[in-house]
Amino acid sequence: PPSAPVPRHRIPQIPLNPARASRASPAMAAAILRRLSPAAAQRAPPRLLPPTLARGVSDSTEPLTVETSVPFTSHIVDPPSRDVSTTPRELAAAFRDMALMRRAEIAADSLYKAKLIRGFCHLYDGQEAVAVGMEAAITRRDAIITAYRDHCLYLARGGDLVAAFAELMGRVDGCSRGKGGSMHFYKKDANFYGGHGIVGAQVPLGCGLAFAQRYRKEGTVTFDLYGDGAANQGQLFEALNMAALWKLPVILVCENNHYGMGTAEWKASKSPAYYKRGDYVPGLKV
Amino acid sequence: MTVREALNSALDEEMSADPSVFLMGEEVGEYQGAYKITKGLLDKYGPDRVLDTPITEAGFTGIGVGAAYQGLRPVVEFMTFNFSMQAIDHIINSAAKSNYMSAGQISVPIVFRGPNGAAAGVGAQHSQCYAAWYAHVPGLKVLTPYSAEDARGLLKAAIRDPDPVVFLENELLYGESFPIKAEVLDSSFSVPIGKAKIEREGKDVTITAFSKMVGYALQAAEILSKEGISAEVINLRSIRPLDRAAINASVRKTNRLVTVEEGFPQHGVGAEICMSVVEDSFEYLDAPVERIAGADVPMPYAANLERLAVPQVEDIVRAAKRACYRSS
């Protein structure tokens, strides 16, 4: 006779405790609860209301020129002009997106400390301008890949805020159906390829995305994000060599927050001039 | 047809049929392939589709996986699978797990191929078998062709597969010639993944093997038949998914099992096959399962020691006789 079926472990679902969730904010908690209840599946997701302000914010599309506060430093390439042309509407939208990301990351921090988010939770507060600024310069046909500090990159690519939180809390409504977690957010239809847990692995992967863009002659580029900790990974230099040999349309973006896990930059990197580390590859310090 | 010709023709036809298939690896282009498997393909398809890489496995494997994320179909060659250890993070964490972690958004239609296991006199760092290592991982398929038909059909199936496939060849089989049926030459020919092949039918003992050991098992079966033992030889073809149904059906017929592999014994393929039979067909076994594997030692260089470190035909014959309670 065949053997008895192997008993499967049931992973207990963490019950959603409204009292604990409301530490984030009452409006956020209500939005999450409405979204995650069974009845919510029948309704459209609730719109988070814009805050009321003492005075209006301009949504003018009149062109506006801003000079960047710090000049660019470059390596074997001419630095771009410090003058950036934009509009009040674009700047206001950028500020709103960054403020949303900041609030979202702080809320995630609270949920993590409340043990409603398990495992790892790498936060992007302080780095929002990189994601938002990059999006302003590219299209959704260009590709982005990053490591595990990926919540805001997902949002910047058009990811759903509640789906992000559902993923962090391990729910089936999450952007990876609860199977990925904090480090594995993806949005393929917006050319966002994750969400990678192994430090530095995303660098060759991003060069591969650029390889496919060149192979198919798409005329698009890949932004391959990594941190000052990953900057020392050997596979970065392996991939950079091939990217230069094969002229791949990839931009390696080092987000230097001066710490690799708990180790300060000056203890890990002999040369902190990451923009020069490409040697034969042009670099820009932003 | 030799195994080399089978692999070369499979690559050629799949590249011709699908423009998103491209090759990447050390010496695959101008050198015509370290073992001449990719001979002529650079001339035919050009340097944009047959890429010679620097000696940087971690880098080029990552680039291949990234290209697969975007929907291209790379065939990444490792000069031997010993060097795949430099890139194993990309094979497992970047390729095998991505479909699951992204809840199906990302699929990785990549093939990692190259020679696996012992060659001749290449020493400890160039002789390991990685079948058990890769077969351990959910999200990978692991194939081990033996004959020219296996090589051609399984490589075509691997390239057409939407998921990552580890394709373990054997250097010493490349030059071996096998008779093939006419249908094998058709460009749409393929062998299903996950199905073993009964190479020789028998009724007294089942011998499972893969890759080069299939040839040894067939020789052992011939010797055994002269001593009145009818051995059934199963060519596994696919280590993951393992054809448990075929193995168990055979053991239920013969009641005795010998597993043969070239790799190290501990946590090897034979251990998994044994457990599969214990789980599904325990009452049918008339003798303990016998395991033939390589010696539990890094591969020595001296020819006499090397011969002792890999299974030989006599070892398989002895094990089959033990399983039949006929050892002398």
Side-chain angles (χ1 to χ4, degrees):
Chain A
S3 54
V6 175
R8 305 263 172 238
H9 293 295
R10 283 196 52 95
I11 297 171
Q13 284 289 328
I14 300 168
L16 192 62
N17 182 338
R20 292 167 82 192
S22 68
R23 246 185 257 168
S25 91
M28 177 73 81
I32 293 173
L33 286 169
R34 275 200 304 276
R35 182 76 170 81
L36 296 176
S37 73
Q42 260 75 69
R43 295 196 296 269
R47 291 183 55 77
L48 294 169
L49 298 171
T52 53
L53 299 170
R55 62 180 180 148
V57 176
S58 170
D59 68 346
S60 153
T61 50
E62 289 298 307
L64 171 65
T65 305
V66 176
E67 191 193 41
T68 63
S69 50
V70 176
F72 297 112
T73 324
S74 66
H75 171 69
I76 64 171
V77 71
D78 290 330
S81 163
R82 282 176 72 178
D83 292 329
V84 181
S85 79
T86 180
T87 68
R89 174 182 290 191
E90 188 178 52
L91 289 176
F95 177 76
R96 185 192 176 279
D97 289 343
M98 289 194 286
L100 183 97
M101 289 172 180
R102 177 66 61 96
R103 295 293 303 278
E105 293 292 78
I106 303 297
D109 188 39
S110 301
L111 290 171
Y112 186 69
K113 288 174 170 135
K115 296 197 185 343
L116 288 167
I117 296 175
R118 297 164 55 239
F120 297 112
C121 189
H122 300 95
L123 300 174
Y124 202 72
D125 49 309
Q127 298 176 218
E128 305 87 344
V130 177
V132 171
M134 226 163 53
E135 280 298 329
I138 63 178
T139 72
R140 289 280 162 80
R141 290 177 53 240
D142 299 301
I144 296 184
I145 191 168
T146 187
Y148 42 72
R149 209 170 295 277
D150 58 351
H151 309 160
C152 299
L153 270 312
Y154 169 76
L155 294 175
R157 287 261 98 179
D160 181 54
L161 182 68
V162 177
F165 276 91
E167 184 61 33
L168 290 173
M169 294 166 78
R171 306 294 177 167
V172 71
D173 287 321
C175 48
S176 297
R177 299 179 63 78
K179 291 179 170 182
S182 165
M183 298 187 287
H184 304 298
F185 285 20
Y186 304 82
K187 199 171 185 347
K188 177 120 187 254
D189 57 13
N191 279 302
F192 176 56
Y193 288 90
H196 295 272
I198 306 296
V199 171
Q202 78 279 15
V203 179
L205 295 172
C207 293
L209 297 174
F211 180 93
Q213 290 170 325
R214 183 174 182 277
Y215 189 97
R216 291 202 180 108
K217 303 176 170 47
E218 286 175 5
T220 50
V221 301
T222 296
F223 285 81
D224 196 348
L225 278 64
Y226 64 99
D228 50 296
N232 295 316
Q233 276 266 317
Q235 57 186 321
L236 186 153
F237 296 94
E238 295 189 14
L240 192 66
N241 175 49
M242 282 179 271
L245 272 174
W246 300 336
K247 300 182 175 36
L248 304 183
V250 63
I251 296 107
L252 272 63
V253 180
C254 179
E255 295 183 280
N256 184 1
N257 59 22
H258 305 291
Y259 282 86
M261 293 194 298
T263 300
E265 179 191 10
W266 59 270
K267 284 182 97 166
S269 293
K270 182 70 177 172
S271 160
Y274 301 105
Y275 72 107
K276 284 195 201 166
R277 292 255 205 116
D279 185 21
Y280 41 81
V281 170
L284 196 62
K285 183 169 175 206
V286 175
Chain B
M1 178 179 256
T2 63
V3 171
R4 180 177 285 114
E5 287 161 356
L7 294 168
N8 184 273
S9 61
L11 289 169
D12 191 352
E13 287 163 23
E14 293 306 302
M15 288 182 78
S16 171
D18 184 348
S20 67
V21 177
F22 70 96
L23 308 184
M24 193 177 211
E26 295 155 14
E27 313 296 353
V28 297
E30 279 188 37
Y31 195 81
Q32 309 298 320
Y35 302 98
K36 306 295 179 249
I37 305 299
T38 52
K39 185 171 178 195
L41 297 176
L42 173 64
D43 284 340
K44 190 165 176 186
Y45 296 103
D48 284 345
R49 292 185 71 190
V50 179
L51 287 108
D52 280 317
T53 62
I55 310 172
T56 50
E57 277 79 5
F60 70 71
T61 306
I63 287 178
V65 175
Y69 283 178
Q70 277 264 23
L72 294 186
R73 302 188 94 96
V75 179
V76 175
E77 176 176 304
F78 292 116
M79 198 178 285
T80 76
F81 264 90
N82 300 282
F83 314 136
S84 74
M85 292 198 288
Q86 304 248 307
I88 200 165
D89 177 61
H90 282 297
I91 298 172
I92 293 175
N93 281 322
S94 304
K97 296 179 183 170
S98 285
N99 191 255
Y100 184 89
M101 292 193 298
S102 69
Q105 279 183 77
I106 308 278
S107 87
V108 192
I110 192 168
V111 176
F112 304 104
R113 54 157 291 271
N116 174 61
V122 291
Q125 293 180 339
H126 289 73
S127 303
Q128 191 164 334
C129 174
Y130 290 87
W133 281 42
Y134 290 118
H136 189 65
V137 181
L140 283 182
K141 293 179 177 138
V142 180
L143 304 179
T144 50
Y146 161 62
S147 62
E149 175 186 328
D150 291 353
R152 217 175 118 76
L154 288 174
L155 186 55
K156 280 170 169 288
I159 292 171
R160 296 174 199 167
D161 198 281
D163 296 318
V165 179
V166 172
F167 193 84
L168 302 174
E169 301 158 6
N170 186 290
E171 189 203 320
L172 299 176
L173 284 176
Y174 284 151
E176 220 173 287
S177 192
F178 294 84
I180 49 165
K181 301 190 282 276
E183 72 207 25
V184 174
L185 292 169
D186 189 67
S187 66
S188 65
F189 174 72
S190 79
V191 162
I193 292 176
K195 292 270 169 274
K197 182 182 180 204
I198 312 287
E199 293 283 348
R200 180 185 173 125
E201 293 209 5
K203 54 180 184 48
D204 294 328
V205 59
T206 299
I207 305 178
T208 63
F210 61 93
S211 190
K212 188 156 126 272
M213 292 290 120
V214 176
Y216 283 32
L218 288 168
Q219 290 178 51
E222 195 51 46
I223 294 169
L224 288 163
S225 74
K226 293 181 176 58
E227 305 194 26
I229 297 175
S230 155
E232 177 150 291
V233 176
I234 300 183
N235 171 4
L236 292 172
R237 284 181 161 178
S238 184
I239 307 297
R240 187 177 179 105
L242 195 61
D243 194 349
R244 290 174 65 131
I247 297 166
N248 278 282
S250 175
V251 171
R252 289 180 180 209
K253 184 173 73 167
T254 65
N255 310 123
R256 295 162 201 277
L257 175 61
V258 175
T259 68
V260 182
E261 63 195 294
E262 206 179 40
F264 302 131
Q266 188 167 344
H267 303 301
V269 175
E272 174 63 29
I273 293 174
C274 175
M275 196 58 212
S276 147
V277 166
V278 163
E279 282 172 349
D280 293 350
S281 310
F282 182 69
E283 305 76 22
Y284 291 82
L285 284 169
D286 285 347
V289 176
E290 294 284 339
R291 161 170 62 180
I292 291 295
D296 192 47
V297 71
M299 184 67 65
Y301 165 67
N304 59 333
L305 294 179
E306 189 181 52
R307 196 182 175 281
L308 290 170
V310 289
Q312 303 298 332
V313 176
E314 311 87 75
D315 298 317
I316 304 173
V317 170
R318 261 201 313 277
K321 284 179 171 175
R322 273 199 305 270
C324 295
Y325 296 149
R326 294 218 355 224
S327 56
S328 46

